[in-house]
Amino acid sequence: MQGGLIAIVSIAYLGTLFAIAYFGDKRAEQGRSLTQNPYIYTLSIAVFCTSWTFYGSVGLAARSGLDFLPIYLGPTLVFVVWSVVWVKIVRICKLNRITSIADFISSRYGKSSRLGGLVALIAVIGTTPYISLQLKSIATSFEIITNSSGESSAISPVLGQYGLDSTFLIALALAIFSILFGTRHIDASEHHEGIVAAIAFESIVKLFAFLAVGFFVTFGVYGGFADLFAKATEAELQHLFTINPTGDYATWVTMILLSMLAIICLPRQFYITAVENTDENHLRTAVWLFPLYLLAINIFVLPIAISGRMAFSHGGVDADMYMLTVPIFYGQGALALLAFIGGLSAATSMVIVAAIALSTMVCNNIVVPMLVNWRWVDLGKRRDLTGLLLLTRRASIIAILILGYGYFRLASGSYSLVTIGLVSFAAAAQFAPAIIGGIFWKGASLKGAMTGLALGFGVWAYTLLLPSFAQSGWLPISFIDYGPFGLTFLKPYALFGLEGFDNLSHALFWSMLANVGVYVVVSLLTRQSTIERIQGAVFVDVFLYTEGLKDSRFLQGTASIGDLRDLVGRFVGDDRAEKAFQVFAMELGVPLRPSQAADTAWLDRAEKMLAGAVGSATARVMIGSVVKGGIVSLDEMYKILDETSQAIQYSRMLETKSRELEDTTTQLQAANERLKELDSLKDDFLNTISHELRTPLTSIRAFSEILSETPDITEEESSRFLMVIRKESERLTRLIDQILDLAKMESGQMDWALANIDSRPVIEAAVATMSALMHERGVTLKVELPAGMPMIKADHDQLVQVLVNLLSNAVKFCRHPGGYVGVTAKVRNGQLCISVSDNGEGVPDEKKAEVFEKFHQFNQGNDKMPRGTGLGLAICRQIVTFLGGQIWVDDNPAGVGARFSFTVPMARADGYFAVEDEVDKPSQALTV
């Protein structure tokens, strides 16, 4: 056929895609979405079937018979047998507004921007060969259909007499399409209705084209399957459709495993299945319809391959192109053109989705973190950054397609389509340990995922990617034959002397051994941070969080709603931010007040909105830039709570109330046993805390007995009792945590992080932690600090705990209403003295002498704690004493209430800090 005709048909087809995508976006804007349909969603998942399926499977069947089947058995097994993985991934993506596979992995492991950047980099490098595969199929099919002999020659870099590179023009057209319909909005977590509709249409086109060629070959050229296989037997091709029971099935196992991992870990597959999912119930249709689609598109693979072998018995024709050459051989030009369009649709759908997914990762996980961490973008200045983010994503799409085109020109000529695809499959498989382990194992750590992924990717590159460059002439062929520098034990196809495997099985074995082994070992040997434990709980227990059994909000701090709205507006646009905040206020049933302090619900919503634009890891940094606060370790609280009471779950399981109450009693007994293990504490200390523990234990037991002995209790009363049990359990949990901390301090097992630190942030952190409680109780907090606060030698977190305990004690005993708490700091005799005062009743006269004397005694080394001074003050005493300071109580100088004071030695590299008149200069008081 004429090249001009093929070009016109190709342009017309791409124009049809443009029209469908435009129509889909318009329908979505009108509230009549095309993609809110399980069948369209499932057809979009069929983007898995690329030109590899359309052309490469036939070529593989022509060479190796049934060896093409494992590539499709793996995805079928995942959707039919292990669909819970996809359900869990989709639920997590919706809860956390995940935008890509890099965002998913980085969010699971503490929202690490470094890990997200590594995943994005691996995804780009690993997908580049796959994009080149699609471009190769387009170029080869164009060359064949315009060649009068029907045989493929060397791929020409020009389009006829026009002197233009046809493959490059196709890549450019796909880049424009991806930019127009994949980067119209900055919020990447929003669904691209037009793209999904276009991909679903392409799935229909390639299936129809494949079935058309298959029907023609099977029932047009031959008299059906029986006739075809009979003639193949006569031509001695029966080995293509028979299974050898004594054969080596290592390749089958490798390809099934690879395809199982690829259907989850390929960036485009993750994007279209998880990110673009609009309704979790659509997966119910996908679990049977997608395997049925795979069956339909593969049913004629073997007949077409056998027909091609018999038609071109003389050889000279690329088996990968039998889909085109067989119709041409039998004079079916129109059918060959249809097959060309089917192959074009298979290639373009993959390139479009992959370009959009990869550009999102490059922007959110590489470029934006660099701009923020390297301070190329000043977050303190108000500036609309949506244009910069859109430009980054559009430039990334162009760069990604240029990379694919470059690999196509440099290295893809030495490999078949199937081989190139398997190289990319093996790269994507490196994400599997971090993903699968991350959603089922809470103990998986950031260091384990980071190290395992980097090592696995390095082995993949050494055993598969570099050899492809060697076979293309870009590296010396001796690299494959003798290893680098003649080190034969480092031969990429026989690493450490391991032989007897095919190249793919060899690479998969070593890369996954390194990846999984290091991932598990490092995770077991390292400690998780608080945010890692929190994210681990959210991902592993996602069904509990989304069904209301656990609270998924963990942020706390001080920031106004207006601050959050302005921050979000800079990345998604002011109008969209304003509208989103108005809608959320309506959902909460409250008016939108920009000056109002944002609670955890507003902080959580703002972070998720930012996550849709810049990724979860960067969103956390952004929120931290306007919020003075921290992460609440609720996961730790739940861990202890699970050991003392399962009452939280009773509200969801009233029908099993008796059994759950028995479990609660067992857990409480276990908690009591843990308390008995704290014999190392002094008798006087145990007497001090006994009263603190008695109250919540009594309440829990009393209400538990009511629930177990009153079977006809109403649901409303039961819920009210369960709420009391939950609050008392949480109180008991905090007390146990404090007891354990004290036990560690007494036994010398506490991990201290002593360093020279600035004292001002310590006070500010404690004030920020308590501000919400003071606001709730109507207490006024006044902080007076010197102009220059000194450096001190202390443990930051432990010193914050001292101040939090003293502030909590002051809030508890100050006057209500009209409560007042003051914090002051002064420098005397080389020590920093911090005081916390309140306007309560103060220390009674009859106890004042006793309390002062007791404080004086343990400051001098006596271990006895003043009676009635509380468990929190016991912790304060231990911490302050360890740091080399003293703590005491006296009357508030203002005349009403009490004042608790403590000292901490100042420090610097060469001795004490000391210029008292400088640090004593008063500063303006801060009223909270």
Side-chain angles (χ1 to χ4, degrees):
M1 296 182 183
Q2 294 296 321
L5 173 62
I6 302 301
I8 292 174
V9 172
S10 300
I11 293 172
Y13 176 74
L14 292 177
T16 303
L17 291 184
F18 273 80
I20 292 174
Y22 180 80
F23 179 69
D25 279 344
K26 285 298 180 183
R27 285 285 297 259
E29 292 173 1
Q30 297 169 1
R32 298 182 296 164
S33 172
L34 289 175
T35 60
Q36 292 284 352
N37 184 299
Y39 300 101
I40 291 180
Y41 170 71
T42 305
L43 286 173
S44 69
I45 296 177
V47 71
F48 179 79
C49 299
T50 65
S51 60
W52 174 358
T53 298
F54 199 84
Y55 294 122
S57 292
V58 175
L60 182 60
R63 291 185 293 269
S64 307
L66 298 174
D67 283 352
F68 75 94
L69 285 176
I71 299 299
Y72 308 99
L73 291 177
T76 300
L77 289 173
V78 170
F79 271 82
V80 174
V81 179
W82 212 20
S83 59
V84 66
V85 173
W86 270 125
V87 174
K88 199 167 190 178
I89 289 174
V90 169
R91 185 78 64 88
I92 292 169
C93 288
K94 291 183 180 299
L95 178 64
N96 296 275
R97 292 179 70 89
I98 299 297
T99 60
S100 65
I101 192 171
D103 200 20
F104 184 93
I105 295 175
S106 67
S107 180
R108 162 59 181 88
Y109 298 97
K111 301 185 178 181
S112 169
S113 59
R114 290 181 301 147
L115 180 59
L118 177 63
V119 173
L121 183 63
I122 293 175
V124 170
I125 296 175
T127 307
T128 295
Y130 215 145
I131 293 177
S132 78
L133 182 155
Q134 315 308 315
L135 299 179
K136 177 179 180 178
S137 71
I138 295 173
T140 306
S141 61
F142 179 85
E143 190 69 22
I144 288 177
I145 203 169
T146 56
N147 188 326
S148 60
S149 67
E151 298 183 2
S152 61
S153 58
I155 300 173
S156 173
V158 299
L159 177 58
Q161 66 273 26
Y162 299 105
L164 299 174
D165 188 335
S166 58
T167 310
F168 181 78
L169 292 179
I170 290 290
L172 184 61
L174 295 179
I176 295 173
F177 182 91
S178 303
I179 288 172
L180 289 179
F181 295 98
T183 60
R184 298 179 64 189
H185 305 297
I186 194 58
D187 189 352
S189 65
E190 288 190 351
H191 304 291
H192 300 96
E193 309 269 354
I195 290 289
V196 174
I199 299 303
F201 172 75
E202 292 199 290
S203 296
I204 296 174
V205 170
K206 61 192 177 191
L207 177 62
F208 178 77
F210 204 101
L211 293 178
V213 176
F215 269 103
F216 168 75
V217 168
T218 306
F219 301 103
V221 177
Y222 300 94
F225 289 101
D227 182 45
L228 174 65
F229 291 134
K231 286 184 170 55
T233 303
E234 295 175 3
E236 298 183 351
L237 296 176
Q238 64 271 18
H239 64 279
L240 296 180
F241 51 87
T242 56
I243 297 177
N244 182 3
T246 62
D248 180 12
Y249 293 105
T251 303
W252 272 56
V253 173
T254 298
M255 294 177 70
I256 289 176
L257 179 61
L258 266 183
S259 59
M260 289 181 67
L261 301 179
I263 196 65
I264 297 173
C265 302
L266 282 173
R268 74 171 192 280
Q269 210 62 43
F270 186 94
Y271 174 81
I272 206 72
T273 308
V275 178
E276 289 292 348
N277 178 277
T278 59
D279 188 341
E280 190 178 299
N281 291 323
H282 290 173
L283 287 169
R284 298 178 182 272
T285 301
V287 295
W288 63 266
L289 184 56
F290 179 63
L292 186 62
Y293 183 97
L294 295 180
L295 173 64
I297 204 170
N298 282 285
I299 196 168
F300 288 112
V301 168
L302 204 54
I304 296 172
I306 293 174
S307 176
R309 284 287 300 269
M310 290 191 291
F312 302 106
S313 58
H314 61 283
V317 176
D318 185 0
D320 283 342
M321 291 292 118
Y322 279 173
M323 278 293 296
L324 286 176
T325 53
V326 169
I328 291 174
F329 179 84
Y330 290 106
Q332 300 295 318
L335 185 60
L337 181 60
L338 177 61
F340 172 79
I341 295 300
L344 182 64
S345 70
T348 54
S349 61
M350 179 272 163
V351 174
I352 290 169
V353 177
I356 294 173
L358 292 177
S359 68
T360 300
M361 285 190 276
V362 170
C363 176
N364 291 0
N365 301 101
I366 297 179
V367 177
V368 172
M370 288 172 58
L371 295 177
V372 174
N373 295 334
W374 295 355
R375 301 186 183 278
W376 289 350
V377 174
D378 188 358
L379 296 178
K381 296 181 180 179
R382 180 176 178 81
R383 178 189 170 192
D384 188 352
L385 300 175
T386 55
L388 174 62
L389 298 181
L390 285 174
L391 178 62
T392 300
R393 289 183 182 173
R394 291 165 181 170
S396 299
I397 288 176
I398 296 174
I400 288 164
L401 288 178
I402 290 177
L403 280 175
Y405 175 78
Y407 187 89
F408 159 68
R409 285 299 176 197
L410 295 178
S412 65
S414 303
Y415 291 92
S416 67
L417 297 181
V418 170
T419 303
I420 297 174
L422 289 173
V423 170
S424 285
F425 270 26
Q430 303 308 316
F431 299 139
I435 294 177
I436 305 301
I439 64 177
F440 290 108
W441 182 27
K442 291 183 182 180
S445 70
L446 169 62
K447 292 180 180 178
M450 192 94 171
T451 310
L453 188 56
L455 194 57
F457 173 70
V459 175
W460 167 85
Y462 184 80
T463 56
L464 283 180
L465 186 63
L466 293 182
S468 73
F469 288 111
Q471 292 187 349
S472 301
W474 293 92
L475 289 176
I477 196 65
S478 61
F479 173 74
I480 297 178
D481 296 334
Y482 306 106
F485 311 108
L487 300 174
T488 55
F489 70 94
L490 292 180
K491 291 193 295 185
Y493 289 154
L495 193 61
F496 302 121
L498 181 64
E499 297 179 346
F501 287 102
D502 62 275
N503 297 340
L504 184 65
S505 300
H506 172 269
L508 183 65
F509 170 79
W510 283 116
S511 63
M512 296 307 290
L513 177 65
N515 193 334
V516 176
V518 173
Y519 173 72
V520 173
V521 171
V522 175
S523 293
L524 292 175
L525 296 179
T526 58
R527 295 181 60 183
Q528 294 176 308
S529 65
T530 301
I531 186 64
E532 286 180 63
R533 291 194 295 272
I534 289 173
Q535 290 300 102
V538 171
F539 274 56
V540 175
D541 296 332
V542 64
F543 296 120
L544 296 178
Y545 287 111
T546 52
E547 293 171 9
L549 294 181
K550 288 188 178 183
D551 186 4
S552 62
R553 293 170 180 163
F554 301 103
L555 282 171
Q556 73 168 10
T558 56
S560 69
I561 295 174
D563 291 338
L564 296 179
R565 181 191 60 191
D566 293 341
L567 177 65
V568 173
R570 293 172 61 195
F571 292 91
V572 304
D574 290 335
D575 293 340
R576 298 183 67 202
E578 179 68 27
K579 181 179 179 181
F581 273 59
Q582 290 283 2
V583 170
F584 188 59
M586 293 176 62
E587 292 176 1
L588 296 177
V590 298
L592 180 61
R593 296 190 179 95
S595 60
Q596 179 181 339
D599 59 12
T600 55
W602 283 102
L603 292 170
D604 185 62
R605 175 56 64 94
E607 183 180 14
K608 288 180 178 178
M609 289 185 66
L610 283 173
V614 297
S616 59
T618 306
R620 180 168 173 259
V621 177
M622 300 295 181
I623 292 294
S625 68
V626 298
V627 175
K628 293 181 178 180
I631 303 296
V632 181
S633 180
L634 292 183
D635 186 59
E636 291 296 320
M637 183 188 76
Y638 287 134
K639 188 180 297 183
I640 302 297
L641 183 60
D642 288 339
E643 296 176 2
T644 58
S645 174
Q646 296 294 331
I648 300 175
Q649 300 180 13
Y650 291 171
S651 60
R652 305 280 300 177
M653 295 175 274
L654 292 176
E655 66 277 9
T656 58
K657 184 166 44 183
S658 298
R659 180 172 56 84
E660 293 295 337
L661 287 173
E662 291 176 0
D663 291 342
T664 301
T665 302
T666 301
Q667 296 295 335
L668 289 173
Q669 291 173 351
N672 286 328
E673 291 298 322
R674 291 183 64 187
L675 293 177
K676 292 178 181 179
E677 295 175 1
L678 303 177
D679 292 334
S680 60
L681 294 175
K682 300 291 192 295
D683 292 338
D684 286 345
F685 171 70
L686 291 176
N687 291 333
T688 301
I689 67 171
S690 62
H691 176 73
E692 300 284 347
L693 293 175
R694 189 179 301 114
T695 301
L697 283 171
T698 302
S699 299
I700 292 173
R701 288 169 179 163
F703 283 101
S704 297
E705 290 174 0
I706 292 174
L707 288 174
S708 63
E709 296 175 3
T710 313
D712 57 346
I713 191 172
T714 66
E715 184 175 346
E716 179 180 313
E717 291 176 333
S718 178
S719 298
R720 182 162 55 85
F721 291 161
L722 288 170
M723 182 60 69
V724 174
I725 292 175
R726 177 176 181 173
K727 290 183 177 179
E728 293 298 329
S729 298
E730 291 174 350
R731 179 181 175 188
L732 182 61
T733 297
R734 289 192 296 270
L735 290 171
I736 292 175
D737 278 340
Q738 292 175 338
I739 293 169
L740 293 176
D741 285 343
L742 282 169
K744 290 179 180 178
M745 294 177 192
E746 290 281 352
S747 60
Q749 298 178 0
M750 193 69 179
D751 293 328
W752 297 90
L754 294 178
N756 292 345
I757 61 175
D758 188 356
S759 55
R760 183 181 294 273
V762 174
I763 299 175
E764 292 176 347
V767 169
T769 301
M770 295 299 300
S771 60
L773 176 63
M774 294 186 180
H775 177 74
E776 179 183 342
R777 299 286 182 87
V779 176
T780 299
L781 172 64
K782 187 173 184 180
V783 181
E784 295 183 357
L785 304 179
M789 292 289 289
M791 299 291 290
I792 56 177
K793 183 72 175 284
D795 182 314
H796 178 277
D797 293 341
Q798 299 296 340
L799 201 55
V800 170
Q801 182 64 48
V802 171
L803 278 168
V804 168
N805 286 350
L806 294 180
L807 288 170
S808 176
N809 188 68
V811 172
K812 179 179 179 180
F813 290 104
C814 71
R815 182 182 303 164
H816 295 287
Y820 170 90
V821 175
V823 179
T824 60
K826 292 185 178 181
V827 174
R828 288 292 182 270
N829 299 323
Q831 290 191 323
L832 176 66
C833 177
I834 302 175
S835 300
V836 177
S837 58
D838 61 71
N839 64 344
E841 296 181 358
V843 181
D845 291 337
E846 61 272 15
K847 286 188 176 182
K848 189 176 300 179
E850 177 189 356
V851 172
F852 180 85
E853 178 62 23
K854 292 295 184 181
F855 267 118
H856 175 71
Q857 289 177 7
F858 71 65
N859 282 331
Q860 299 300 321
N862 192 316
D863 287 332
K864 294 184 178 181
M865 183 67 196
R867 291 183 181 273
T869 54
L871 192 57
L873 293 181
I875 294 178
C876 294
R877 185 267 296 193
Q878 292 285 352
I879 295 173
V880 171
T881 303
F882 178 87
L883 295 178
Q886 293 185 334
I887 185 171
W888 65 91
V889 61
D890 56 10
D891 289 332
N892 187 348
V896 179
R899 179 178 67 176
F900 282 84
S901 304
F902 67 92
T903 60
V904 181
M906 297 186 300
R908 65 178 185 183
D910 56 349
Y912 285 115
F913 185 85
V915 179
E916 297 184 9
D917 54 348
E918 174 64 24
V919 296
D920 258 345
K921 291 181 180 178
S923 63
Q924 183 177 1
L926 170 66
T927 301
V928 180

